[in-house]
């Protein structure tokens, strides 16, 4: 069921004013980026490659076309409710899902990030994950996971761990739906088993 927050309501105004945009030092330079949405006790942390400029401008994660498709996948798997009038990353954070990136510098395309910058972000990412120890680390793109683990086959739960959390790799954004659905079903089953255990 879809929950709607009325436009102009106090909650809608508060949500509209919230922004995760910040200035951060990255490799010796100050950059405008998105703050990490992390805290202990998260069930999952979403790890991206880096923020898109459109997301930084909005002050919220995954605001581009591919990002919105990613949030659609999270809703399809039942990890986040379908609430209109609120930012998806805030809804997900309330549901126990955090957000960060291996590279904090925004670019229009991930191909603009050199390998040495990905390597630079690797140890910081692992330290962040160690600090919050989520049950699952959800990589939006396989490229980020291969920076940490090296090449591996497949997506979904890939039999790897980081910061004691299981690793889940999303299918590619252009993967055929008949290949995406079973992977999302796997994530949905895992998530709902954990939710039931907490009751």
């Amino acid at each position: 069921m879809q929950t709607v927050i009325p436009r102009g309501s106090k909650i809608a105004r508060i949500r509209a004013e919230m922004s995760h945009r910040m200035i951060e030092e990255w490799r010796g330079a100050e950059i405008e980026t998105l703050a990490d949405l992390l805290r202990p006790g998260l069930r999952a942390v979403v790890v991206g490659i880096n923020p898109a400029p459109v997301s930084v401008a909005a002050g919220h994660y995954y605001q581009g076309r591919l990002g919105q498709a990613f949030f659609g996948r999270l809703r399809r798997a039942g990890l986040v409710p379908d609430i209109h009038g609120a930012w998806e990353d805030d809804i997900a954070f309330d549901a126990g899902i955090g957000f960060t990136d291996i590279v904090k510098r925004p670019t229009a395309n991930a191909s603009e990030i050199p390998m040495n910058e990905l390597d630079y972000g690797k140890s910081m990412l692992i330290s962040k994950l160690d600090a919050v120890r989520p049950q699952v680390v959800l990589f939006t793109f396989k490229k980020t996971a291969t920076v940490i683990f090296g090449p591996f086959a497949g997506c979904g739960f890939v039999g790897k761990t980081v910061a004691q959390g299981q690793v889940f790799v999303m299918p590619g954004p252009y993967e055929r739906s008949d290949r995406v659905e079973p992977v999302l079903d796997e994530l949905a089953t895992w998530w709902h088993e954990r939710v039931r255990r907490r009751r």
Side-chain angles (χ1 to χ4, degrees), residues 120-138:
Y120 175 83
K122 176 180 173 178
S123 61
M124 286 187 291
L125 173 63
I126 292 171
S127 294
K128 291 174 188 179
L129 295 173
D130 277 334
V132 297
R133 297 200 180 277
Q135 295 174 41
V136 68
V137 179
L138 199 160

Side-chain angles (χ1 to χ4, degrees), residues 79-155:
L79 274 66
V80 294
D82 190 6
I83 299 176
H84 285 255
W87 294 101
E88 297 97 333
D89 55 358
D90 292 335
I91 296 166
F93 197 58
D94 289 346
I97 301 169
F99 294 86
T100 189
D101 293 291
I102 191 168
V103 169
K104 297 304 290 183
R105 180 175 65 91
T107 61
N109 192 305
S111 65
E112 298 173 42
I113 302 169
M115 193 64 210
N116 66 350
E117 191 169 8
L118 290 165
D119 287 337
Y120 175 83
K122 176 180 173 178
S123 61
M124 286 187 291
L125 173 63
I126 292 171
S127 294
K128 291 174 188 179
L129 295 173
D130 277 334
V132 297
R133 297 200 180 277
Q135 295 174 41
V136 68
V137 179
L138 199 160
F139 289 94
T140 55
F141 296 99
K142 190 171 184 176
K143 178 178 180 177
T144 313
T146 60
V147 171
I148 296 172
F149 303 107
F152 60 88
C155 58

Side-chain angles (χ1 to χ4, degrees), residues 42-45 129-130 132-139 149 157-168 190:
L42 292 168
R43 281 200 289 272
V45 170
L129 295 173
D130 277 334
V132 297
R133 297 200 180 277
Q135 295 174 41
V136 68
V137 179
L138 199 160
F139 289 94
F149 303 107
F157 286 103
V158 292
K160 299 185 181 300
T161 61
V162 61
Q164 299 181 358
Q166 294 182 62
V167 169
F168 182 93
W190 182 91

